[in-house]
Amino acid sequence: MPNVPSRRNVKVLTDAIAALESGTGVSAMFLTKRYGAFTIDGTAFISASVKTLTVGGRSIEQNLKPHKSLQALRALEPSDGETADEAPGIEQDLTAPAVAHGDLISVLFVDPAYGPFTVTGVAVASTVSDVVLVGGWFVSRAGTTAPRVVSVEVLAASGTHEYPLPARIVSWGEDTEGATEY
């Protein structure tokens, strides 16, 4: 996972968004208080419900302006990422490793609406319902792998990587966007 840019370049992001077409493979980096920094590699689609470009269910833009949480965006070459056409052949790995709060992980998900996509970031555990998430997506609950998870790779254990550790989730509350953006 690349480092979060020290300052987000809104003009570069706006230009990158303007050049995207629905169906393009992208790598998008986001930064939020609840989930920290994470990347989503997948296919960008125009969401039927919110009419914006999304990747892995997360908005990239709003009215062709970068979403507040978007930090970096680049188009992927076809060989760099998964495509929606590959989804039918992907099978879930039921032997996924245990993931702890603070581990740096990379998780391949397949969702009927978004196809296959990979989320890479710091695992965030909830004390509310014994779940572990990455970038807002459930990885496991009570030690059982979430249904949309295909594979999990622990890239670095908690405390052995340079990425900031988000706080444990202690309340789902009424917050929007997983506790406001930075």
Side-chain angles (χ1 to χ4, degrees):
M1 186 167 95
N3 288 324
V4 178
S6 58
R7 185 170 173 199
R8 96 183 185 133
N9 188 329
V10 175
K11 177 165 178 15
V12 168
L13 291 171
T14 302
D15 291 347
I17 289 166
L20 281 182
E21 295 179 15
S22 187
T24 302
V26 298
S27 181
M29 176 179 276
F30 299 92
L31 180 63
T32 68
K33 287 182 182 179
R34 174 162 280 175
Y35 304 112
F38 58 94
T39 61
I40 301 178
D41 295 348
T43 304
F45 291 105
I46 299 281
S47 167
S49 59
V50 292
K51 307 291 189 240
T52 64
L53 275 170
T54 62
V55 62
R58 187 157 186 93
S59 290
I60 296 171
E61 52 88 18
Q62 197 165 16
N63 296 323
L64 296 178
K65 298 292 182 199
H67 191 274
K68 292 185 303 185
S69 62
L70 183 66
Q71 303 297 304
L73 178 68
R74 69 179 177 88
L76 294 175
E77 295 298 320
S79 62
D80 288 346
E82 304 292 336
T83 65
D85 295 338
E86 296 168 346
I90 296 176
E91 293 182 25
Q92 186 176 28
D93 178 5
L94 300 176
T95 61
V99 176
H101 179 76
D103 288 351
L104 180 62
I105 61 175
S106 185
V107 182
L108 174 60
F109 294 91
V110 172
D111 183 85
Y114 312 122
F117 59 94
T118 301
V119 182
T120 303
V122 177
V124 180
S126 168
T127 60
V128 179
S129 53
D130 194 18
V131 297
V132 175
L133 303 97
V134 63
W137 281 89
F138 283 71
V139 176
S140 64
R141 180 166 189 231
T144 302
T145 304
R148 288 176 175 81
V149 171
V150 174
S151 64
V152 178
E153 181 180 2
V154 177
L155 303 174
S158 180
T160 66
H161 57 81
E162 61 188 37
Y163 296 99
L165 179 61
R168 289 180 185 271
I169 299 169
V170 296
S171 169
W172 295 114
E174 293 293 321
D175 60 356
T176 59
E177 202 57 43
T180 60
E181 312 307 327
Y182 278 108

